[in-house]
Amino acid sequence: MDIEVPMRFESQKSGFIRHADFLNDYLQKIFVESNSKIEYLGEWHTHPNGSTQFSSQDLLSMKEIANNPEIKNTTPLLIILGIGNDIKYQCYSLKSNQLIKFHEV
């Protein structure tokens, strides 16, 4: 397993924009070098208000990922960490253009 962080990003209290140009190239290289055995699974991020509910931007981002032919994953995962008094997380998978909840802790 590997976690790669974008080299360029914009971070604000209520938003995060990643510039993933190099990440797409990096993921393609790993996919080819592993003979298609290592694949991109999805994204994760935090919500500092403690909510694990996805936003409309989260859904849009996951649809863009699923529709990108270079990524080769039509059902990407999304994990949201809700950080408040305690830490919770929620796992989603994109299916039929909807984020489906499949695990919560």
Side-chain angles (χ1 to χ4, degrees), residues 57-91:
Q57 181 59 53
D58 292 334
L59 177 58
L60 178 63
S61 296
M62 298 310 287
K63 286 179 182 180
E64 288 174 358
I65 288 167
N67 290 322
N68 185 329
E70 293 181 11
I71 294 177
K72 298 178 181 63
N73 183 348
T74 59
T75 58
L77 303 177
L78 173 62
I79 300 172
I80 298 175
L81 296 163
I83 300 176
N85 292 334
D86 57 354
I87 298 175
K88 304 175 280 187
Y89 68 89
Q90 176 66 55
C91 300

Side-chain angles (χ1 to χ4, degrees), residues 3-14:
I3 296 174
E4 194 63 35
V5 178
M7 289 181 189
R8 291 187 320 116
F9 58 86
E10 298 168 40
S11 179
Q12 302 165 359
K13 185 174 182 174
S14 62

Side-chain angles (χ1 to χ4, degrees), residues 18-104:
R18 65 181 174 80
H19 299 282
D21 300 345
F22 103 94
L23 282 176
N24 293 340
D25 294 340
Y26 175 75
L27 293 169
Q28 179 65 22
K29 179 182 174 203
I30 290 173
F31 183 76
V32 169
E33 289 177 355
S34 71
N35 293 321
S36 307
K37 292 179 184 171
I38 298 176
E39 298 179 38
Y40 165 83
L41 294 177
E43 301 284 317
W44 71 272
H45 64 269
T46 63
H47 284 179
N49 63 358
S51 171
T52 59
Q53 179 60 41
F54 66 88
S55 68
S56 58
Q57 181 59 53
D58 292 334
L59 177 58
L60 178 63
S61 296
M62 298 310 287
K63 286 179 182 180
E64 288 174 358
I65 288 167
N67 290 322
N68 185 329
E70 293 181 11
I71 294 177
K72 298 178 181 63
N73 183 348
T74 59
T75 58
L77 303 177
L78 173 62
I79 300 172
I80 298 175
L81 296 163
I83 300 176
N85 292 334
D86 57 354
I87 298 175
K88 304 175 280 187
Y89 68 89
Q90 176 66 55
C91 300
Y92 300 92
S93 179
L94 187 75
K95 295 182 183 172
S96 301
N97 280 325
Q98 298 296 318
L99 282 170
I100 308 300
K101 183 186 326 186
F102 68 90
H103 186 70
E104 182 173 28

